[in-house]
Amino acid sequence: MLTTWVVMPTCLPAVLRRCHTCGAERFRANGKFRVNAHHKLLDAWLLVLCTSCGETAKLAVLERAHVRSIPPTLLDRMHDNDLGLAAELLQDPVLRRRNRVALDWDGAWRLDIGGTAHPDGEAVDVSVRFAARIPVRPVRLIAEGFGLSRAEVGRLIAEGRIVSADRLNGRLSGDFTFLLKP
């Protein structure tokens, strides 16, 4: 039996960065942008709010970029405060590294198994797809998808009843497959 599971984001992840005002470590993005013009050069920032004190911080998206080098659709999306663009930009590792931030996906994703749990006595081949690059432990996904405890999933892996070409310990943020043997 072949099934497909999808790990889907439910909201924007928390941005991990130190607040200069209160010292808290978590910010939330609400999809707001600020664009500032300097003659023919533009700066653009994604605005994030401290979850503790509400202070606004800016994540640099564009710095002194020439107006003609920016696609008009990108500028329109920034002016419209497009939430989808904010999600895309937060996924960009270059933007995260340049702004020295990390993402916290706790509570910001769900697993869509597309039906019910597996039938007993039948092997199940599962393909797990990620709608966004969300780092999750495969053991957690398997436990949630089949309604098992993480310890039970660990025991099944140790017994060889759950096998995969990918590493099942640690975190994955890319598609993988596994087989649950009866």
Side-chain angles (χ1 to χ4, degrees):
M1 173 179 198
L2 178 64
T3 60
T4 301
W5 294 353
V6 181
V7 178
M8 302 182 64
T10 56
C11 61
L12 292 176
V15 176
L16 300 177
R17 173 185 173 158
R18 184 165 159 57
C19 178
H20 297 296
T21 304
C22 70
E25 299 285 332
R26 297 174 64 86
F27 284 78
R28 64 178 167 79
N30 58 1
K32 303 275 189 216
F33 290 89
R34 174 159 185 231
V35 179
N36 195 14
H38 303 276
H39 300 287
K40 293 181 181 179
L41 303 176
L42 290 179
D43 290 327
W45 300 277
L46 174 63
L47 303 178
V48 292
L49 302 171
C50 177
T51 56
S52 181
C53 69
E55 182 70 22
T56 301
K58 300 183 289 189
L59 303 182
V61 176
L62 299 172
E63 294 177 324
R64 302 292 178 177
H66 198 279
V67 173
R68 291 184 190 253
S69 69
I70 303 168
T73 55
L74 178 63
L75 274 176
D76 289 341
R77 290 177 74 187
M78 281 191 229
H79 286 301
D80 293 338
N81 291 320
D82 186 0
L83 194 60
L85 178 60
E88 291 173 26
L89 291 173
L90 286 174
Q91 291 287 312
D92 184 12
V94 174
L95 182 119
R96 291 195 317 256
R97 189 173 30 256
R98 182 175 52 221
N99 289 287
R100 295 184 180 100
V101 298
L103 300 180
D104 182 11
W105 283 96
D106 286 346
W109 62 272
R110 67 180 170 86
L111 178 64
D112 182 14
I113 61 173
T116 60
H118 75 287
D120 292 331
E122 186 176 335
V124 181
D125 191 10
V126 179
S127 173
V128 181
R129 283 190 330 100
F130 285 80
R133 296 189 57 79
I134 303 170
V136 182
R137 295 184 186 280
V139 171
R140 179 177 178 185
L141 291 176
I142 296 168
E144 189 173 319
F146 288 125
L148 303 170
S149 69
R150 291 186 200 173
E152 179 70 16
V153 171
R155 187 181 62 74
L156 291 173
I157 291 171
E159 290 175 358
R161 290 188 50 210
I162 295 179
V163 293
S164 175
D166 297 294
R167 207 177 47 132
L168 294 178
N169 56 358
R171 291 182 183 262
L172 291 177
S173 59
D175 300 350
F176 69 97
T177 60
F178 68 91
L179 176 68
L180 174 64
K181 299 176 184 177

